[in-house]
Amino acid sequence: MAFRGSQVWFWRWRRNPLKRRADAVEAWVVLGAWTLTVVAGVLAGLGIARSVEHELARERVEWRPVTAHLTEQAPGTATRQSVTSSGDRVWARVSWTVPDGSARTGQARVEPGSAVGSPVTVWTDREGRLVTRPATPDQARLRAAMIGTLLGVGAAAVPFVGGRVLCARLERRRMEQWDAEWALFGPLWGRTTG
């Protein structure tokens, strides 16, 4: 398609003796749908991203590392440090003390073959429950951007799809009107459609 200037972009708004009311309605529907699509997508995406980043920042402030101790032998055998540093860890039961002095137990990832009583660093929330390590500021920004983008696109899809459905209904109505008028005026030209 060759670029033909602003007339191509604003064809719905030009004066035309053949333009019907349905054409004007469709022009406003398209403008409204695109406006709502952009506004809803941007506002939802930014709002969600800001909320996610705030929640992850709160976790960084509230969650604390605690030293726990293994209550059972960790499965597996002790291996060289180079192998275990690659992330090969196993689940084992650990116990720790919360700030109010009560003891808690849970499952944590530890080095394979660790002995009973070995110290392990775990992360806990305000109530002393086990949680994952909080996201770093860079990880939080990346997660917030990804979630905000996904949900922004999802929010933008609602007015976009709604506008497309409404335009399809307008098109179907326009075609029905065209058929009715053709049936009325076609025989006047001496030809019948069949």
Side-chain angles (χ1 to χ4, degrees):
M1 176 176 146
F3 182 74
R4 293 182 282 196
S6 63
Q7 290 182 356
V8 172
W9 295 101
F10 300 108
W11 67 271
R12 295 180 192 271
W13 304 102
R14 288 184 289 158
R15 290 180 183 243
N16 185 338
L18 299 176
K19 186 161 100 173
R20 301 177 186 200
R21 181 174 173 206
D23 297 327
V25 170
E26 184 179 7
W28 284 106
V29 166
V30 168
L31 178 65
W34 276 106
T35 302
L36 284 174
T37 296
V38 170
V39 170
V42 168
L43 291 180
L46 289 175
I48 294 296
R50 191 171 295 132
S51 175
V52 168
E53 196 164 0
H54 175 72
E55 180 64 22
L56 292 174
R58 185 189 61 76
E59 289 175 358
R60 276 194 306 278
V61 170
E62 292 180 358
W63 294 0
R64 297 279 175 236
V66 174
T67 301
H69 298 280
L70 269 81
T71 59
E72 62 184 22
Q73 175 76 26
T77 57
T79 57
R80 295 181 312 208
Q81 186 64 23
S82 62
V83 173
T84 59
S85 65
S86 67
D88 294 338
R89 293 178 157 253
V90 296
W91 290 100
R93 184 162 288 294
V94 295
S95 68
W96 67 97
T97 305
V98 294
D100 69 2
S102 61
R104 299 275 177 97
T105 61
Q107 294 278 330
R109 306 269 293 170
V110 298
E111 299 292 329
S114 297
V116 174
S118 298
V120 177
T121 301
V122 295
W123 288 82
T124 61
D125 62 7
R126 284 183 162 183
E127 287 78 31
R129 294 180 299 228
L130 284 178
V131 293
T132 60
R133 179 185 296 243
T136 65
D138 289 337
Q139 291 170 336
R141 275 190 294 278
L142 179 63
R143 285 183 195 172
M146 288 173 38
I147 293 170
T149 300
L150 287 173
L151 292 178
V153 168
V158 173
F160 178 76
V161 169
R164 297 290 293 177
V165 167
L166 193 52
C167 283
R169 291 185 74 186
L170 288 169
E171 180 68 21
R172 188 171 42 249
R173 183 173 174 206
R174 190 170 31 242
M175 289 295 111
E176 289 169 358
Q177 288 175 344
W178 178 267
D179 288 341
E181 290 173 6
W182 185 258
L184 181 66
F185 290 108
L188 295 177
W189 291 345
R191 295 183 188 166
T192 59
T193 59

